[in-house]
Amino acid sequence: MGEDTAASSFITDAQILNFLNEAQRKICWEGNVILTCATASTVASQEHYSVPTDYIKIHAVFLYRSAGAQLKLTPISLNSRDPRKTTGDPQFYYIAGINVSGANSPDFGLNPIPSSSGSADLEIYFTQSPLAMVNGGQAPEVQAHWQDALVPYALWKTYLRAGKEYLPMAQMMRQEWQDWVTKARQYSQQLRLDSPQTIQDTAGYLNVVYA
């Protein structure tokens, strides 16, 4: 029952591997589990710039000109794009896409459009989709504390294929998977504490008494 092909068991190693890959992709989509950075070079009069194919969502874009602007670009909506195509130092970016040889390719646009070219002067920070495991001996790309989330997902999908008598186990594994999804949605980044921090008043500004 539930087999793709006739076999002595209701699930194959390849199918289990597929479920594990599905799980790590979904857990990365739900939370910032894999954050990374890519660089690109601005090109004079070029508005659109491609993003890596494994990106899920962009968090920030920084511009570092050796002589000129060095700033975090402000995200804007596609509808806020400058229709005049003004050139200058970019200050804004928007998420878009472009047709490449008949296939859509995700990218982002810069406004104003760069008036001069740079070298690796764009840094794009984004949530990345994990590398797919191609065999059972390959470890998931997600960190060890997220790998525990893959097991209940794979078991949930496996029990669903096994038949009605396994539905209680499937439901239990589905609930455990949903608990991991909730954790992923609440997760920001393991090296940052998302709570207010006290700034050290090394200059003594807080001690100034105004008459």
Side-chain angles (χ1 to χ4, degrees):
M1 177 178 292
E3 293 182 63
D4 296 332
T5 58
S8 58
S9 62
F10 56 79
I11 191 166
T12 65
D13 290 348
Q15 290 160 355
I16 293 174
L17 187 63
N18 183 57
F19 291 152
L20 293 172
N21 279 322
E22 281 184 14
Q24 68 165 347
R25 285 196 302 270
K26 290 181 178 180
I27 206 72
C28 288
W29 172 262
E30 295 290 351
N32 301 328
V33 175
I34 300 181
L35 292 178
T36 191
C37 177
T39 60
S41 298
T42 53
V43 178
S45 301
Q46 178 178 312
E47 182 173 5
H48 291 268
Y49 296 82
S50 61
V51 296
T53 56
D54 58 354
Y55 106 105
I56 295 176
K57 54 187 172 183
I58 292 177
H59 293 275
V61 178
F62 291 84
L63 176 68
Y64 295 100
R65 288 287 176 87
S66 57
Q70 296 186 1
L71 71 158
K72 177 184 182 295
L73 303 188
T74 302
I76 59 174
S77 69
L78 180 59
N79 290 333
S80 297
R81 170 184 174 269
D82 183 2
R84 300 168 300 172
K85 297 188 175 182
T86 304
T87 60
D89 281 335
Q91 298 180 27
F92 309 97
Y93 78 94
Y94 60 89
I95 306 299
I98 194 169
N99 187 290
V100 179
S101 301
N104 178 266
S105 177
D107 72 1
F108 63 94
L110 299 180
N111 272 181
I113 299 171
S115 56
S116 60
S117 299
S119 177
D121 52 346
L122 285 174
E123 287 186 356
I124 308 102
Y125 291 85
F126 61 98
T127 298
Q128 176 183 326
S129 185
L131 294 173
M133 294 177 285
V134 297
N135 59 64
Q138 183 179 354
E141 188 176 9
V142 295
Q143 292 173 306
H145 47 273
W146 289 106
Q147 293 175 15
D148 293 338
L150 313 186
V151 177
Y153 182 90
L155 286 173
W156 167 37
K157 294 295 185 177
T158 300
Y159 285 135
L160 286 177
R161 299 167 65 93
K164 293 182 179 179
E165 62 271 28
Y166 289 92
L167 283 180
M169 293 296 295
Q171 292 170 353
M172 185 171 67
M173 290 298 101
R174 181 180 183 276
Q175 182 57 55
E176 185 174 344
W177 162 251
Q178 289 298 330
D179 291 343
W180 278 106
V181 169
T182 300
K183 293 176 183 178
R185 290 172 178 170
Q186 296 171 344
Y187 183 75
S188 179
Q189 215 279 336
Q190 72 275 19
L191 299 181
R192 185 175 67 227
L193 181 63
D194 286 329
S195 59
Q197 301 293 302
T198 301
I199 299 175
Q200 295 294 328
D201 184 26
T202 55
Y205 293 120
L206 299 180
N207 296 324
V208 176
V209 177
Y210 296 93

